Amino acid sequence: MAVLSYLEAIRETLRQEMRRDPRIIIYGEDVGVRGGVFRVTEGLQKEFGEERVIDSPLAEAAIVGTAIGAAINGLRPIPEIQFADFIFPAMNQIIQEAARIRYRSNGAFHVPLVIRAPFGGGVHGALYHSQSVEAFFAHVPGLKVVIPSTPYDAKGLLAAAIEDEDPVLYFEHKAAYRSVKGEVPEERYLIPIGKADVKKPGRDVSIITYGLMVNYSLRAAEELEKEGISCEVLDLRSMRPLDVEAILETAKKTGKVLIVHEDNLTGGIGGEVSALIAEHALFYLDAPIVRLAGPDVPAMPYSPPLEHAFMISPEKIRDKARELAQF
Amino acid sequence: MAVLSYLEAIRETLRQEMRRDPRIIIYGEDVGVRGGVFRVTEGLQKEFGEERVIDSPLAEAAIVGTAIGAAINGLRPIPEIQFADFIFPAMNQIIQEAARIRYRSNGAFHVPLVIRAPFGGGVHGALYHSQSVEAFFAHVPGLKVVIPSTPYDAKGLLAAAIEDEDPVLYFEHKAAYRSVKGEVPEERYLIPIGKADVKKPGRDVSIITYGLMVNYSLRAAEELEKEGISCEVLDLRSMRPLDVEAILETAKKTGKVLIVHEDNLTGGIGGEVSALIAEHALFYLDAPIVRLAGPDVPAMPYSPPLEHAFMISPEKIRDKARELAQF
Amino acid sequence: MADNGLTPELMLDMYYHMALSRAMDDRMWILNRQGRAPVVYTSNGHEAAQVGSAFALNRGEDWICPYYRDLALVLAYGMTPREVMLHVLGRADDPNSGGRQMPAHWGHAKLHILTGGSVVATQDVHATGLALASKILKDGRVAVAYFGEGSTSQGEFHEALNFAAVHKLPVIFFNENNGYAISVPSRKQMAVQDVAARAQGYGMPGVIVDGNDPVKVYEVVKEAADRARRGDGPTLIEAKTYRFVPHSSDDDDRAYRTREEVQEAKKRDPLILFEARLKEAGILTDEKLKEMQQQIKDVVNDATDYAEKAPLPDPATLWDHVYGSL
Amino acid sequence: MADNGLTPELMLDMYYHMALSRAMDDRMWILNRQGRAPVVYTSNGHEAAQVGSAFALNRGEDWICPYYRDLALVLAYGMTPREVMLHVLGRADDPNSGGRQMPAHWGHAKLHILTGGSVVATQDVHATGLALASKILKDGRVAVAYFGEGSTSQGEFHEALNFAAVHKLPVIFFNENNGYAISVPSRKQMAVQDVAARAQGYGMPGVIVDGNDPVKVYEVVKEAADRARRGDGPTLIEAKTYRFVPHSSDDDDRAYRTREEVQEAKKRDPLILFEARLKEAGILTDEKLKEMQQQIKDVVNDATDYAEKAPLPDPATLWDHVYGSL
Ligand SMILES: Cc1ncc(C[n+]2csc(CCOP(=O)(O)OP(=O)(O)O)c2C)c(N)n1
Ligand SMILES: Cc1ncc(C[n+]2csc(CCOP(=O)(O)OP(=O)(O)O)c2C)c(N)n1
Ligand SMILES: [Mg+2]
Ligand SMILES: [Mg+2]
């Protein structure tokens, strides 16, 4: 099996899907000639032509809004938002339109649409090239939100998102693009949206997380293993719908839950996960439910000491998990 | 003391504040000649002139964005978004600009701004005139979010929001505008943002809520009182910052917590409140933390049976609280 | 009039739909005043612009993206009075939304009437997207977005026109300029007289048309549609019109415009003007008119009765259609 | 040239700032290639447009709302090279952001340089708001928003211009049209040749100016500022320019434009043109030029050294300035 980077897995999946389904079009800022600012779409315009890989005007509401129209009229658009930070001008189209069209039309219309956007920090991107925005969308019924942590998942989740008949936000961690590598089968496969994945089984503490933090949590778990602490790492994969069953199962199994995300603590996905456990598995708990998340400051600063202070690291996860194990 | 409606309390506070501070301007769609579609700003243009009460173009990003500029250049703007549902085009200005300007400029700039918007359902407003949008903003460091439940709070919180040096979202429940009445002192007073309020003390169950649901919860508590069940009703008043201390105090006191909001369940304020308790007061709990919230459907439908099925009612609250008391 | 393709029959049919819409509209307001419809919107005064434009399209095949003002449009496009009333009364069988949306939030998949929400100007972008797909799929369809002049202040209006022009898409932007956005007069909305003045800045034709003349409207829309189908790109059309009644049943327009102004505008009531014109041309006789009026009365009564008897949605359906599959 | 108010001294000062900016810019790229600055942006090629416009304003009093392209602008507006380098290297004393923002995210309260984020076009709306306050407070200030042609596709550009025109605000929209938005050429950005063509649709003057000529730019900005101060409202100015180097240090412009095109554009390098012109006019001598070049070298070295020695932010300050008070 080929070993691909996270970025390559996404690119090759886009290519495979576009070969499979002529209705798929890609567009966004710089996705064509330039192949995207991260080069995720590199080579695709060459293969599929200017009509299927479109350099659009610099206008996110138009990018998403026209994709909605195009989806309704028979295409399968995969618009790219250049950085997740720039998705806000399209908020109105995503939340008020894409998410509500099926419901408001009583099922007469629907919007098969995959919005791709790189997110996350740790790459000197500063306030406006480091944001985690998944919580805004995970709050919205009608949307699905997925975040892969590995090249394998990147492929399977992207194919599933494209297959889905509803709008899916697909966030790619930019720090994972080149640093995370793994085996990826050549043939097409789908990873069901809404299913979490136990990336490492364990007994003492459950680490529930997603995205790049899965990789960091695995590193932390590995270190703790040497200390005799056994962590289970649950990769949520999908922020909406959440896999409630898997969340409760791991909570019940270990009785100690650490939730990790890079997004700001307050109002992040972690609160929802914690609340689900506190409502449905409370009496299995042996310790408080702990969240380790981005600090409640507006966004990630640029200067290395500040960026470092903001970012969640394997060490921070390890320390919190150890503390919890020893509770 | 005068008895005012919730709406009148807001209008009279705006008037009082504008008399006090000539830097205050109001603008938005239909706020001038028409006095707002709910007539909250009625009479203000007559008193303060067209320059201080401005009928703006139909453009929410411009309404909020120009208010940011005006605030930085010395005014105290109070823009109105006609319905909270229409705040999405301004999301970019609120989240990426207003919330981050102080932080990104290292304190050199700040944005004293109060964004008013009617929210909430139960008035046949359907999908786009019934929404609760507070969770989106409560997730954002740099913003403050308040929601009054009574005319008294409406005045004190609005004055405090105007006094605040940072952007505050002030959401008004449109079903409360005329139905909720109460005594309001003539003189100016501030209710500190970030402080919750025990609207009714109790022993058996804590109901943590805000906005119109405070009124509904009080009704439920009254009924349960007759059954010998004593509920404490905590009005959060401020969604950001949350009054963590007050939340933990009531949770520890009763050991049984019911969180109520009209906004969709998943990703709503309730998850955050629950997570705070599950992390910091877990061992005081005698029962699972229960959330009663708007269903996870895209937005409130129009037709009465569907609207009714969506809305939280005093009866639904009563039943849940009773269940919890009997746990 | 012959060379534009409008036969006497078509013109009579236009008139019928204008009159039907006015009658439906009046009935809706009565239902509201009787407490049987919590809120209603209106197309009263806009009928010529809407019906004229509908007739210029390949109805049911081309896409229209209406807004809440477009009752006459959707009727002319094929929505039945019964369907409209099911919608207005929030009934389960409402094809627009199954009773989920407020009245006047149109959408009819089979007729290619795009579902609309309340947020103004979003449909401008959707129409552009529909047209993008049509260009790629070569399905020959034109998409038309309808919108008020107030909504042109929204950023999405701008983004839509710009995108459409760059990609030369088969789309028409049809503005119904009635001079007000609820209470805000257009001089507070924009510093130019005409919405059409913006077209040049996007690189597309901007056409002003008398919105009280359905034939003129028909002609300019036809031309724009031909242009679109030829691959020559979008057109911005501005129909000058007037709303004769308040914005919605929750509005009171006396707060912001004089009765004299409204009376003055009513002298150019498109329904009355077109009636006179058809009579003058010998297309409409007194007899035919009476017959038509009776037919409309019957149709409106039938639609109202039908909808009032129709069941409301089952509360359990609250959970339907959140997703296609989970 | 006398009647425009530009004395020889002022013109020399203009040239100095253009050359200083170019030198600072070059240094920043070196720092990047050496791994000492993770990312840098550029104003290389835009200097005449930026400096010319700055000199036409009441510097430090009027508001400017720059974007990441505007190094020459902020230098001409009074930001010192040391301040710039503190910013570029993310130092604690960076007056723009205390090291919080990426390089080229300007903001300097004392100089009335508005803080900017990365989201394009938001500053157009802020400038409009600053001007709204100026109009109400009668403080005599003009606000100027700077932006690339790519960003004019954003809805907020439209909303800003419309709002400003309706309220006749003292604001100038200054477009630096370099023909590309990263890799996207302007023909894929808009279907018109000139950004200025949009002005008419808002009811304001649209002025095209040679962005390689700082004097011409100075003149049109001066006129627009006078107009604004007179209460006659906003102006849209389009300076035609070119970016000589990649979009940022992360970009590789060979992917989207030929070397020939870049070479051709460089024949109109504003720095070289202005130097020749000043020499021709006898304002700049070889001696003076040499002296200036040495001065610039020293200043740039000093700024770099100073900033490199300056402390990075204390991690504990991560929590500062979230709110004024809680
Ligand atoms: C984004 C948004 N903001 C506010 C509203 C509330 N609103 C509904 S209609 C309307 C006025 C629209 O005026 P115009 O576009 O001229 O259309 P008309 O009603 O005159 O046909 C407003 C402000 C809305 N629907 N959407
Ligand atoms: C809303 C938004 N979308 C995308 C980006 C990413 N981006 C940064 S600069 C740029 C191109 C801007 O081009 P232009 O406005 O012409 O300015 P120039 O860089 O050419 O001076 C893009 C797409 C952004 N900063 N903001
Ligand atoms: Mg109008
Ligand atoms: Mg450019």
Side-chain angles (χ1 to χ4, degrees), chain B residues 58, chain C residues 46 67-69 147-151 175-182 184 186 189 241 243 247:
Chain B
L58 208 184
Chain C
H46 287 231
Y67 74 125
Y68 52 82
R69 192 66 72 221
F147 52 90
E149 87 293 343
S151 79
N175 173 234
E176 304 180 31
N177 186 346
N178 60 14
Y180 288 90
I182 308 185
V184 180
S186 60
Q189 195 68 244
T241 179
R243 149 169 71 72
H247 168 72

Side-chain angles (χ1 to χ4, degrees), chain C:
Chain C
M1 283 195 207
D3 56 347
N4 62 18
L6 276 183
T7 60
E9 288 68 38
L10 277 172
M11 289 210 278
L12 269 183
D13 199 25
M14 275 175 138
Y15 177 77
Y16 171 78
H17 281 97
M18 288 169 61
L20 171 65
S21 175
R22 182 70 60 90
M24 290 285 288
D25 205 290
D26 289 344
R27 174 62 57 87
M28 281 158 43
W29 283 69
I30 290 168
L31 291 171
N32 172 263
R33 296 312 182 214
Q34 291 174 339
R36 289 145 86 194
V39 63
V40 296
Y41 288 82
T42 192
S43 68
N44 196 322
H46 287 231
E47 294 91 348
Q50 294 174 18
V51 174
S53 74
F55 272 66
L57 300 171
N58 193 350
R59 280 179 280 170
E61 185 54 35
D62 290 329
W63 280 102
I64 56 170
C65 309
Y67 74 125
Y68 52 82
R69 192 66 72 221
D70 287 326
L71 169 62
L73 171 68
V74 298
L75 284 168
Y77 219 68
M79 199 179 295
T80 68
R82 282 186 173 189
E83 289 177 323
V84 167
M85 278 300 176
L86 286 169
H87 176 53
V88 169
L89 297 179
R91 285 347 206 219
D93 290 337
D94 158 28
N96 295 280
S97 76
R100 287 173 170 193
Q101 291 226 71
M102 261 191 180
H105 285 60
W106 314 111
H108 199 303
K110 278 192 213 116
L111 294 172
H112 282 190
I113 300 174
L114 185 70
T115 170
S118 302
V119 189
V120 300
T122 57
Q123 76 276 17
D124 303 347
V125 195
H126 300 162
T128 303
L130 292 165
L132 176 68
S134 285
K135 186 185 168 196
I136 293 175
L137 297 171
K138 300 184 181 50
D139 63 14
R141 288 178 195 144
V142 169
V144 190
Y146 291 81
F147 52 90
E149 87 293 343
S151 79
T152 66
S153 297
Q154 289 285 338
E156 297 192 11
F157 164 78
H158 169 76
E159 296 194 12
L161 269 73
N162 184 55
F163 193 106
V166 168
H167 290 281
K168 284 201 172 233
L169 300 180
V171 53
I172 299 171
F173 299 100
F174 190 90
N175 173 234
E176 304 180 31
N177 186 346
N178 60 14
Y180 288 90
I182 308 185
S183 72
V184 180
S186 60
R187 68 168 195 289
K188 289 191 180 171
Q189 195 68 244
M190 51 198 186
V192 290
Q193 191 74 31
D194 306 314
V195 167
R198 297 216 163 130
Q200 203 197 318
Y202 297 106
M204 66 175 79
V207 182
I208 298 173
V209 64
D210 178 359
N212 291 324
D213 182 342
V215 175
K216 285 254 172 61
V217 172
Y218 168 91
E219 287 169 350
V220 298
V221 173
K222 187 116 196 139
E223 192 182 326
D226 287 348
R227 187 182 136 81
R229 276 189 246 276
R230 277 198 311 270
D232 291 342
T235 304
L236 172 61
I237 295 174
E238 175 182 11
K240 301 280 192 187
T241 179
Y242 197 86
R243 149 169 71 72
F244 292 145
V245 299
H247 168 72
S248 76
S249 53
D250 287 339
D251 184 29
D252 179 356
D253 64 335
R254 287 169 304 184
Y256 55 82
R257 55 184 188 181
T258 64
R259 294 309 87 189
E260 293 69 43
E261 179 187 309
V262 177
Q263 277 321 312
E264 191 58 35
K266 279 193 175 169
K267 290 189 189 151
R268 308 214 54 248
D269 184 329
L271 199 59
I272 297 173
L273 293 184
F274 199 44
E275 184 185 310
R277 178 167 164 188
L278 291 180
K279 278 191 181 164
E280 210 170 301
I283 296 173
L284 185 64
T285 60
D286 282 340
E287 199 182 351
K288 175 79 200 155
L289 179 62
K290 241 180 101 181
E291 190 186 306
M292 215 186 247
Q293 280 165 344
Q294 185 57 47
Q295 186 191 351
I296 286 172
K297 213 176 193 170
D298 293 345
V299 163
V300 173
N301 283 336
D302 167 74
T304 312
D305 293 348
Y306 179 84
E308 290 213 299
K309 285 194 199 113
L312 289 165
D314 179 339
T317 62
L318 178 72
W319 295 93
D320 294 348
H321 305 303
V322 179
Y323 296 99
S325 68
L326 258 192

Side-chain angles (χ1 to χ4, degrees), chain D residues 13-206:
Chain D
D13 200 26
M14 274 174 136
Y15 176 76
Y16 172 78
H17 281 97
M18 288 168 61
L20 172 64
S21 175
R22 182 70 60 92
M24 290 285 289
D25 205 290
D26 289 344
R27 176 62 57 88
M28 282 159 41
W29 283 70
I30 291 169
L31 291 171
N32 172 264
R33 296 312 183 214
Q34 292 175 339
R36 289 144 87 195
V39 63
V40 296
Y41 289 82
T42 192
S43 68
N44 197 321
H46 287 231
E47 295 90 346
Q50 294 174 18
V51 173
S53 74
F55 273 66
L57 300 172
N58 193 350
R59 280 179 280 169
E61 184 55 34
D62 289 330
W63 281 102
I64 56 169
C65 309
Y67 75 125
Y68 52 82
R69 192 66 71 220
D70 286 325
L71 170 62
L73 171 68
V74 298
L75 284 168
Y77 219 69
M79 198 178 296
T80 67
R82 283 186 173 190
E83 290 178 323
V84 168
M85 279 299 177
L86 286 169
H87 175 55
V88 169
L89 297 179
R91 286 345 207 222
D93 290 338
D94 157 27
N96 296 280
S97 76
R100 287 174 171 194
Q101 292 225 71
M102 259 190 181
H105 285 60
W106 314 111
H108 199 303
K110 278 192 210 116
L111 294 173
H112 282 190
I113 300 174
L114 185 71
T115 171
S118 303
V119 190
V120 299
T122 57
Q123 75 276 18
D124 303 347
V125 195
H126 300 162
T128 304
L130 292 164
L132 177 68
S134 285
K135 185 186 169 194
I136 292 175
L137 298 170
K138 300 182 180 51
D139 63 14
R141 287 178 196 142
V142 169
V144 190
Y146 291 81
F147 51 91
E149 87 293 343
S151 78
T152 67
S153 298
Q154 289 285 337
E156 297 194 10
F157 164 79
H158 168 77
E159 296 195 12
L161 269 73
N162 185 55
F163 192 105
V166 169
H167 289 282
K168 283 198 171 235
L169 299 181
V171 54
I172 299 171
F173 298 100
F174 190 89
N175 172 236
E176 304 180 32
N177 186 347
N178 59 15
Y180 288 90
I182 310 183
S183 72
V184 180
S186 60
R187 69 167 194 290
K188 288 190 180 171
Q189 196 68 244
M190 50 198 187
V192 290
Q193 191 75 30
D194 307 312
V195 168
R198 298 215 163 131
Q200 203 198 321
Y202 298 106
M204 66 174 80

